[in-house]
Amino acid sequence: MMENTPLSRILEPLKVGVIKSYAVIQGSVRAKTMTTLTIAIAVAATSLVNTIVSAKEITLVVNGEKTKVSTHVNTVDQLLYQQSIEVAANDYISLAGSTALKDGQTLVIRQPVAIQLQLGNQTQTIQTTAADVQSFVKQLGLKAVSKNAVSPALHTPITANMIVALNDVKTVVVEEKKSVPFETVTKQDARLMKGRQKVLQSGKAGQIVTKIEKQYHNGKLISVKEISSAETQKAQNRILAVGTAKRVAILSADSPSEKVTAKNGVDFQAKRVLSNFTLSAYDAGFESTGKVKGQKGYGKTRTGTTVTEGRTIAVDPDVIPLGWWVYIEGIGFRRAEDTGSAIQGNRIDVYFDSYQTALNFGKKRGYTVYVIGPEKP
């Protein structure tokens, strides 16, 4: 080929031809003609030199294999012919056949390969000239695909018979509720006997709501992510009163009297004088006792008597013995016949026949109570 021929061997025949021509026409050709031939020879030589020097370096990448070639041809089609490369209609070629070649260019050619495309639980064979998984996904007409929805990774090069899976991706956001336990807070209460307790406020659990994002591929859970968490309900503490009052000595008929007292024209001896009592009221109805007329136990006291206005009171038996009479300042003589869950310590519930009267009585504080004994004065 001409590019491998030394320049001296190309120019030598041209010089010999010029000498022979000069000998034939030496009598009739003038010096001007000789000058013209000399210029033509110089031009031809210069053209040959330029042709040899202007070789182009092209990088050929065929099905991933890279090769560098040196060529003097001018177009992509000429290069393919020169390199004996045939390009079919379905092949990928990065440059058109008529593209003018430039030094340093890269020409990429990829022939279709068969890959296995998995769509959910189905598989099919597809021919593709894509360079990587991302390009293949675009060839399928899918403009945007989550990186979690396709495997292998989007940057993975395409190879023959590889498996590309497009997963059926489903994202679900759910709320999970978590209970926050309440705490119990105790408060000392001097109105309650030591060892006794009373619930002042019921406890209530709080709640935390957490939003969770769950992602499924083809029905299989593959990821769980917490999105947010918020306390939707604060826990309410349980408040418990704990009695601190010292238990009084048990009274009996033989207990000595503390003093002789005259009330409402009646003289009596008190076994004990108790101060700072709280008074409340109740009736026999459902609102006070949880029972209705005709129901078993309706109107009956803890001691078995029938409730009677002007006589019956409910007491804490640890403070006032059941069956004993007392005198309540401003109320009069009453008999301890009943008890109640809320009647503890220095507290007395006074019985009235009328619910409205009991309601109007309300709650009164600071009363003095004289504990007399089992016999009414």
Side-chain angles (χ1 to χ4, degrees), residues 176-182 204-209 233 235:
E176 293 185 356
K177 297 179 181 179
K178 181 181 178 182
S179 178
V180 179
F182 61 82
K204 188 175 183 180
Q207 186 179 77
I208 293 178
V209 176
Q233 181 175 300

PDB file of all heavy atoms in Angstrom, residues 176-182 204-209 233 235:
ATOM      1  N   GLU A 176     -49.266   2.981  63.085  1.00  0.00           N
ATOM      2  CA  GLU A 176     -49.168   2.051  64.202  1.00  0.00           C
ATOM      3  C   GLU A 176     -49.338   2.839  65.503  1.00  0.00           C
ATOM      4  O   GLU A 176     -48.657   3.834  65.727  1.00  0.00           O
ATOM      5  CB  GLU A 176     -47.821   1.322  64.194  1.00  0.00           C
ATOM      6  CG  GLU A 176     -47.646   0.386  63.006  1.00  0.00           C
ATOM      7  CD  GLU A 176     -46.355  -0.413  63.081  1.00  0.00           C
ATOM      8  OE1 GLU A 176     -45.564  -0.167  64.024  1.00  0.00           O
ATOM      9  OE2 GLU A 176     -46.136  -1.266  62.198  1.00  0.00           O
ATOM     10  N   LYS A 177     -50.281   2.373  66.326  1.00  0.00           N
ATOM     11  CA  LYS A 177     -50.571   3.062  67.576  1.00  0.00           C
ATOM     12  C   LYS A 177     -49.940   2.309  68.745  1.00  0.00           C
ATOM     13  O   LYS A 177     -50.090   1.094  68.861  1.00  0.00           O
ATOM     14  CB  LYS A 177     -52.084   3.180  67.775  1.00  0.00           C
ATOM     15  CG  LYS A 177     -52.765   4.023  66.704  1.00  0.00           C
ATOM     16  CD  LYS A 177     -54.271   4.094  66.918  1.00  0.00           C
ATOM     17  CE  LYS A 177     -54.924   4.923  65.816  1.00  0.00           C
ATOM     18  NZ  LYS A 177     -56.396   4.990  65.997  1.00  0.00           N
ATOM     19  N   LYS A 178     -49.248   3.060  69.584  1.00  0.00           N
ATOM     20  CA  LYS A 178     -48.573   2.471  70.733  1.00  0.00           C
ATOM     21  C   LYS A 178     -49.082   3.127  72.012  1.00  0.00           C
ATOM     22  O   LYS A 178     -49.135   4.353  72.113  1.00  0.00           O
ATOM     23  CB  LYS A 178     -47.057   2.659  70.619  1.00  0.00           C
ATOM     24  CG  LYS A 178     -46.273   2.055  71.768  1.00  0.00           C
ATOM     25  CD  LYS A 178     -44.783   2.304  71.578  1.00  0.00           C
ATOM     26  CE  LYS A 178     -43.982   1.743  72.749  1.00  0.00           C
ATOM     27  NZ  LYS A 178     -42.532   2.014  72.596  1.00  0.00           N
ATOM     28  N   SER A 179     -49.457   2.295  72.971  1.00  0.00           N
ATOM     29  CA  SER A 179     -49.967   2.809  74.240  1.00  0.00           C
ATOM     30  C   SER A 179     -48.814   3.218  75.157  1.00  0.00           C
ATOM     31  O   SER A 179     -47.806   2.515  75.261  1.00  0.00           O
ATOM     32  CB  SER A 179     -50.826   1.740  74.922  1.00  0.00           C
ATOM     33  OG  SER A 179     -51.286   2.192  76.171  1.00  0.00           O
ATOM     34  N   VAL A 180     -48.977   4.377  75.792  1.00  0.00           N
ATOM     35  CA  VAL A 180     -47.986   4.868  76.759  1.00  0.00           C
ATOM     36  C   VAL A 180     -48.579   4.681  78.157  1.00  0.00           C
ATOM     37  O   VAL A 180     -49.595   5.293  78.489  1.00  0.00           O
ATOM     38  CB  VAL A 180     -47.653   6.346  76.515  1.00  0.00           C
ATOM     39  CG1 VAL A 180     -46.635   6.839  77.537  1.00  0.00           C
ATOM     40  CG2 VAL A 180     -47.134   6.547  75.103  1.00  0.00           C
ATOM     41  N   PRO A 181     -48.003   3.824  78.994  1.00  0.00           N
ATOM     42  CA  PRO A 181     -48.590   3.556  80.315  1.00  0.00           C
ATOM     43  C   PRO A 181     -48.564   4.789  81.212  1.00  0.00           C
ATOM     44  O   PRO A 181     -47.667   5.631  81.123  1.00  0.00           O
ATOM     45  CB  PRO A 181     -47.692   2.447  80.880  1.00  0.00           C
ATOM     46  CG  PRO A 181     -46.404   2.577  80.133  1.00  0.00           C
ATOM     47  CD  PRO A 181     -46.752   3.080  78.769  1.00  0.00           C
ATOM     48  N   PHE A 182     -49.600   4.880  82.056  1.00  0.00           N
ATOM     49  CA  PHE A 182     -49.647   6.003  83.009  1.00  0.00           C
ATOM     50  C   PHE A 182     -48.876   5.633  84.273  1.00  0.00           C
ATOM     51  O   PHE A 182     -48.607   4.455  84.536  1.00  0.00           O
ATOM     52  CB  PHE A 182     -51.093   6.373  83.348  1.00  0.00           C
ATOM     53  CG  PHE A 182     -51.884   5.266  83.990  1.00  0.00           C
ATOM     54  CD1 PHE A 182     -51.781   5.002  85.354  1.00  0.00           C
ATOM     55  CD2 PHE A 182     -52.744   4.479  83.234  1.00  0.00           C
ATOM     56  CE1 PHE A 182     -52.507   3.992  85.954  1.00  0.00           C
ATOM     57  CE2 PHE A 182     -53.475   3.462  83.821  1.00  0.00           C
ATOM     58  CZ  PHE A 182     -53.360   3.215  85.184  1.00  0.00           C
ATOM     59  N   LYS A 204     -54.964   7.218  82.987  1.00  0.00           N
ATOM     60  CA  LYS A 204     -55.367   7.032  81.593  1.00  0.00           C
ATOM     61  C   LYS A 204     -54.111   6.934  80.732  1.00  0.00           C
ATOM     62  O   LYS A 204     -53.240   7.801  80.795  1.00  0.00           O
ATOM     63  CB  LYS A 204     -56.244   8.197  81.125  1.00  0.00           C
ATOM     64  CG  LYS A 204     -56.867   7.990  79.762  1.00  0.00           C
ATOM     65  CD  LYS A 204     -57.810   9.143  79.433  1.00  0.00           C
ATOM     66  CE  LYS A 204     -58.493   8.917  78.093  1.00  0.00           C
ATOM     67  NZ  LYS A 204     -59.413  10.055  77.761  1.00  0.00           N
ATOM     68  N   ALA A 205     -54.040   5.871  79.951  1.00  0.00           N
ATOM     69  CA  ALA A 205     -52.852   5.662  79.109  1.00  0.00           C
ATOM     70  C   ALA A 205     -52.794   6.701  77.992  1.00  0.00           C
ATOM     71  O   ALA A 205     -53.823   7.154  77.480  1.00  0.00           O
ATOM     72  CB  ALA A 205     -52.875   4.255  78.517  1.00  0.00           C
ATOM     73  N   GLY A 206     -51.567   7.076  77.608  1.00  0.00           N
ATOM     74  CA  GLY A 206     -51.370   7.962  76.472  1.00  0.00           C
ATOM     75  C   GLY A 206     -51.248   7.157  75.186  1.00  0.00           C
ATOM     76  O   GLY A 206     -51.362   5.928  75.184  1.00  0.00           O
ATOM     77  N   GLN A 207     -51.009   7.862  74.099  1.00  0.00           N
ATOM     78  CA  GLN A 207     -50.921   7.170  72.805  1.00  0.00           C
ATOM     79  C   GLN A 207     -49.917   7.872  71.893  1.00  0.00           C
ATOM     80  O   GLN A 207     -49.877   9.092  71.811  1.00  0.00           O
ATOM     81  CB  GLN A 207     -52.287   7.137  72.129  1.00  0.00           C
ATOM     82  CG  GLN A 207     -52.334   6.308  70.853  1.00  0.00           C
ATOM     83  CD  GLN A 207     -53.722   6.294  70.239  1.00  0.00           C
ATOM     84  OE1 GLN A 207     -54.148   7.248  69.610  1.00  0.00           O
ATOM     85  NE2 GLN A 207     -54.438   5.198  70.438  1.00  0.00           N
ATOM     86  N   ILE A 208     -49.099   7.060  71.230  1.00  0.00           N
ATOM     87  CA  ILE A 208     -48.158   7.559  70.220  1.00  0.00           C
ATOM     88  C   ILE A 208     -48.530   6.911  68.899  1.00  0.00           C
ATOM     89  O   ILE A 208     -48.681   5.690  68.812  1.00  0.00           O
ATOM     90  CB  ILE A 208     -46.698   7.220  70.591  1.00  0.00           C
ATOM     91  CG1 ILE A 208     -46.278   7.995  71.841  1.00  0.00           C
ATOM     92  CG2 ILE A 208     -45.756   7.539  69.435  1.00  0.00           C
ATOM     93  CD1 ILE A 208     -44.872   7.682  72.309  1.00  0.00           C
ATOM     94  N   VAL A 209     -48.697   7.754  67.869  1.00  0.00           N
ATOM     95  CA  VAL A 209     -49.033   7.256  66.535  1.00  0.00           C
ATOM     96  C   VAL A 209     -47.810   7.406  65.643  1.00  0.00           C
ATOM     97  O   VAL A 209     -47.264   8.500  65.490  1.00  0.00           O
ATOM     98  CB  VAL A 209     -50.224   8.024  65.929  1.00  0.00           C
ATOM     99  CG1 VAL A 209     -50.486   7.560  64.496  1.00  0.00           C
ATOM    100  CG2 VAL A 209     -51.476   7.818  66.785  1.00  0.00           C
ATOM    101  N   GLN A 233     -51.952  11.636  72.352  1.00  0.00           N
ATOM    102  CA  GLN A 233     -52.675  11.730  73.626  1.00  0.00           C
ATOM    103  C   GLN A 233     -51.699  11.538  74.775  1.00  0.00           C
ATOM    104  O   GLN A 233     -50.990  10.536  74.831  1.00  0.00           O
ATOM    105  CB  GLN A 233     -53.771  10.661  73.676  1.00  0.00           C
ATOM    106  CG  GLN A 233     -54.602  10.698  74.947  1.00  0.00           C
ATOM    107  CD  GLN A 233     -55.748   9.707  74.903  1.00  0.00           C
ATOM    108  OE1 GLN A 233     -56.604   9.779  74.043  1.00  0.00           O
ATOM    109  NE2 GLN A 233     -55.738   8.757  75.819  1.00  0.00           N
ATOM    110  N   ALA A 235     -50.428  10.798  78.542  1.00  0.00           N
ATOM    111  CA  ALA A 235     -50.834   9.911  79.619  1.00  0.00           C
ATOM    112  C   ALA A 235     -51.288  10.742  80.826  1.00  0.00           C
ATOM    113  O   ALA A 235     -50.712  11.793  81.126  1.00  0.00           O
ATOM    114  CB  ALA A 235     -49.693   8.983  80.017  1.00  0.00           C
TER     115      ALA A 235
END
